[in-house]
Structures are given as C-alpha cells and as structure tokens.
C-alpha cells in the first residue's frame, strides 16, 4: 500500500536588499500568485511597503490575506534607493536561514530577491562575488552552475563573475566538463527532460576558425566535447556564438552553454528582458531568482516590474514538482 503524497510546502522568498525594488515586487507577486502558488517572504516585516500577515512557526498562510512574512528583524530602516550598512548582516542571515528552511522541509524551494554586493561588502565584509557563490558555500559545493531561463531559451555561462581577461585561464577542460555534466543532470532531474540536448559556444570568434582567431578550440575544447559525446552525452560544438541564438538554431538544443558571462546573458536579456529567471544548478536544494538587480533608481516608486519574480516563483515550484517533493 502506497501513501498519497502530501501537499507541496510553500516557496521561501528571501527579501534581498531592502532598499531595492524587491519588497514592492514581492507584494505584486503575491497579488498574482497568492491563491495558486503559496510562498512567504523571509525578511523584516517592518520594511514591507504594504500590509502583511506575520507567520508563526507553523507557517500557516491565509491565501486570501496580505503578503505572508516570516519576520527576521534587521537593525536598520529600509529607505528606497539608499542601502543602510546596518542591514547588510541581516540580508546575509536571511539567505542562510532560507537555505535552512528548504533543507528542513519548511519550504519547497528557495527564491531569492536581488542583493547589492557592494552594500553587503561595505556593511558586513561579504566575501562572495554574488548569490550563486554564497549558496554553493552554504551547501558545501565546490562547483555549481548558473543557468538563465525563459520560455524561448536556457543558457549557461561556464564562467560567471570574472573579468573577461581572466576567462581563458579560468576556463579549463575540467571546468567545462563539470559544467556540462551538472547541467545535464539538472535538466533531467529538475526540468523533466529525459534526454537533454546541449550545444556549446566557442570561446573565440567563429569558434577559432581553425586556429586563426584563437587556439583554445583546437587545443582542448573540441576534444573535451567529443569525449563527453562519446560517453553518451548529447552535446555538440563548439559553435560560433553569433549563429547559436536565432530561432531556428534554438530549436536544436535544450540548453546553450556559453564560455563567459556576457556571451550567455546578452541573448537571453534580448529575447526576454523582463521574464528571465536565474537558476542555480548543482545544489541539493532548488534555488531560483529574478534576473535583474536592485534597481535603486526606481525603488519606492511602485513601477518595478514583477514579471521576472513571478516567473522565478513559478519555476521554483515546477522544479520542486519535477523532483517529486510532494
């Protein structure tokens, strides 16, 4: 006799930088999703620019009530557009608490609102380049993968937050191989794609054009991809990046793996600037995020677009369902 699965826990939405647009976006997302996709905000309830329902330890959410908040008091106030250094420690603590909530089964997934790295560094000596690297450390992972996704495209940058001049030395056969394998596993587990098709960009223009525009493709990229293909992975490339992102090319793969940050993010932000979602692959838990920053210049004006956060919350829930977390 089998036991029927229980209900999916709510998604935990971490508050991010309280001086940015995240909190007003959380309110807008709740208005759209509250009845159909339970989630709660983890942060300081006093910072939210609207009504909230404060949750207890049982996380009992009223879908007809205002935005649910699991209160985590911060030291400073939330002034739109102006980060308070006293809040930096709280922002970092909330991320760690959100991870703990997912690992304890009190959330189906983690969705993170934008942080401001300089504010965290100035206020609390934050030692990580961004969310992705901090989450990897919290999960004890040496290597995770950042994927950007929208309905028309999934793309993975093999190297992330480093200077372009550093890419050729950081990008190695081991790194590329790990990125491709982590991506393949995640597409199967979290997106329900039984046989993922991966397409890889070249590092150099025209994928090196036989060594006339760079030799990394000939030196090791071709061989690395061929080796993975021989082992059974459905992977092709390296292809010239400037031919990989038009509609007909996108139909031939489930994910494009790029070699550096802008090579990956420019096409997805061109295709779907408002709706892209940042997903961290390779963690033991699910993490998504809107694909935009704190937008201090428009914070507090009520005009911030919640499309990406809504998409990120939906994707987090869908990934949890794909993992069978019911």
């Amino acid at each position: 006799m089998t036991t029927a699965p229980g209900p999916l826990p709510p998604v935990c939405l971490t508050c991010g930088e309280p001086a940015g647009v995240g909190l007003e976006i959380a309110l807008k997302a709740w208005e759209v999703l509250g009845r159909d996709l339970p989630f709660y905000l983890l942060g300081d309830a006093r910072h939210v620019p609207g009504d909230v329902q404060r949750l207890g330890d049982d996380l009992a959410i009223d879908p007809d009530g205002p935005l649910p908040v699991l209160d985590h008091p911060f030291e400073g106030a939330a002034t739109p557009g102006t980060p308070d250094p006293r809040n930096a420690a709280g922002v970092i603590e909330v991320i760690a608490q959100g991870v703990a909530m997912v690992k304890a089964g009190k959330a189906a997934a983690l969705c993170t609102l934008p942080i401001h790295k300089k504010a965290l560094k100035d206020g609390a000596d934050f030692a990580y380049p961004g969310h992705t690297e901090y989450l990897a450390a919290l999960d004890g992972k040496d290597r995770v993968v950042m994927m950007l996704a929208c309905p028309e495209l999934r793309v993975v940058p093999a190297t992330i937050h480093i200077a372009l001049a550093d890419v050729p030395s950081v990008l190695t056969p081991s790194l590329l191989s790990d990125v491709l394998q982590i991506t393949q596993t995640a597409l199967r587990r979290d997106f329900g794609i039984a046989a993922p098709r991966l397409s890889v960009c070249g590092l150099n223009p025209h994928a090196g054009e036989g060594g006339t525009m760079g030799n990394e493709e000939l030196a090791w990229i071709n061989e690395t991809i061929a080796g993975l293909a021989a082992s059974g992975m459905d992977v092709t490339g390296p292809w010239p990046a400037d031919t990989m992102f038009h509609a007909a090319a996108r139909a031939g793969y489930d994910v494009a793996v790029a070699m550096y940050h802008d090579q990956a993010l420019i096409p997805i932000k061109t295709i779907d600037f408002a709706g892209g979602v940042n997903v961290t692959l390779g963690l033991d838990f699910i993490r998504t995020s809107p694909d935009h920053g704190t937008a201090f210049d428009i914070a507090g004006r009520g005009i911030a677009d919640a499309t990406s956060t809504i998409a990120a919350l939906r994707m987090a829930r869908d990934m949890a369902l794909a993992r069978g977390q019911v």
Side-chain angles (χ1 to χ4, degrees):
M1 179 178 179
T2 58
T3 302
L8 193 71
V11 174
C12 177
L13 178 67
T14 56
C15 64
E17 170 53 57
V21 296
L23 296 174
E24 58 192 272
I25 283 175
L27 288 167
K28 293 179 180 180
W30 179 254
E31 291 176 1
V32 174
L33 298 176
R35 289 174 177 264
D36 302 316
L37 196 162
F39 71 89
Y40 58 89
L41 179 75
L42 179 57
D44 193 326
R46 299 170 303 170
H47 290 168
V48 179
D51 293 335
V52 303
Q53 52 175 304
R54 292 175 182 254
L55 301 180
D57 292 338
D58 60 356
L59 300 179
I61 294 172
D62 176 6
D64 295 315
L67 175 69
V69 178
L70 185 60
D71 197 24
H72 183 107
F74 284 24
E75 290 189 17
T79 304
T82 306
D84 187 330
R86 295 175 298 169
N87 288 331
V91 172
I92 297 167
E93 290 165 4
V94 159
I95 298 168
Q97 185 181 350
V99 171
M101 297 293 285
V102 180
K103 286 180 173 286
K106 295 184 177 181
L110 186 70
C111 185
T112 61
L113 289 168
I115 59 174
H116 191 265
K117 274 77 84 174
K118 186 178 187 302
L120 297 187
K121 184 178 174 69
D122 291 348
D125 199 24
F126 190 58
Y128 300 91
H131 252 128
T132 300
E133 295 83 357
Y134 182 44
L135 291 166
L138 290 171
D139 202 33
K141 295 292 186 294
D142 293 328
R143 186 163 288 165
V144 296
V145 168
M146 184 173 79
M147 183 174 79
L148 293 306
C150 69
E152 293 81 15
L153 175 66
R154 299 183 192 93
V155 65
V156 164
T159 62
I160 308 177
H161 299 119
I162 61 172
L164 187 58
D166 296 332
V167 170
S169 59
V170 172
L171 186 66
T172 63
S174 175
L175 172 60
L176 182 59
S177 179
D178 285 353
V179 166
L180 289 166
Q181 292 181 62
I182 291 170
T183 301
Q184 177 186 246
T185 297
L187 289 178
R188 287 173 172 166
R189 179 182 63 177
D190 298 333
F191 292 87
I193 302 173
R197 302 165 299 162
L198 292 81
S199 190
V200 184
C201 298
L203 172 63
N204 296 295
H206 299 187
E209 198 163 298
T212 62
M213 298 185 186
N215 66 357
E216 286 87 357
E217 285 80 7
L218 291 179
W220 64 269
I221 295 174
N222 293 341
E223 181 181 355
T224 299
I225 294 171
L228 291 169
S231 72
M233 182 182 290
D234 188 350
V235 58
T236 62
W239 305 110
D242 62 355
T243 66
M244 278 188 54
F245 296 105
H246 60 90
R250 298 197 307 269
Y253 57 78
D254 297 301
V255 64
V257 176
M259 296 301 187
Y260 52 91
H261 183 277
D262 284 11
Q263 193 182 51
L265 272 69
I266 288 172
I268 193 165
K269 290 194 175 185
T270 300
I271 291 168
D272 192 354
F273 183 79
V277 177
N278 185 335
V279 189
T280 306
L281 310 180
L283 296 168
D284 290 338
F285 57 91
I286 294 163
R287 180 263 178 157
T288 67
S289 178
D291 185 25
H292 61 71
T294 51
F296 287 145
D297 57 321
I298 62 169
R301 295 168 57 189
I303 62 174
D305 189 345
T307 302
S308 185
T309 294
I310 291 168
L313 286 161
R314 285 177 169 152
M315 186 174 291
R317 180 176 174 85
D318 289 347
M319 290 171 68
L321 290 169
R323 284 196 186 189
Q325 294 185 5
V326 294

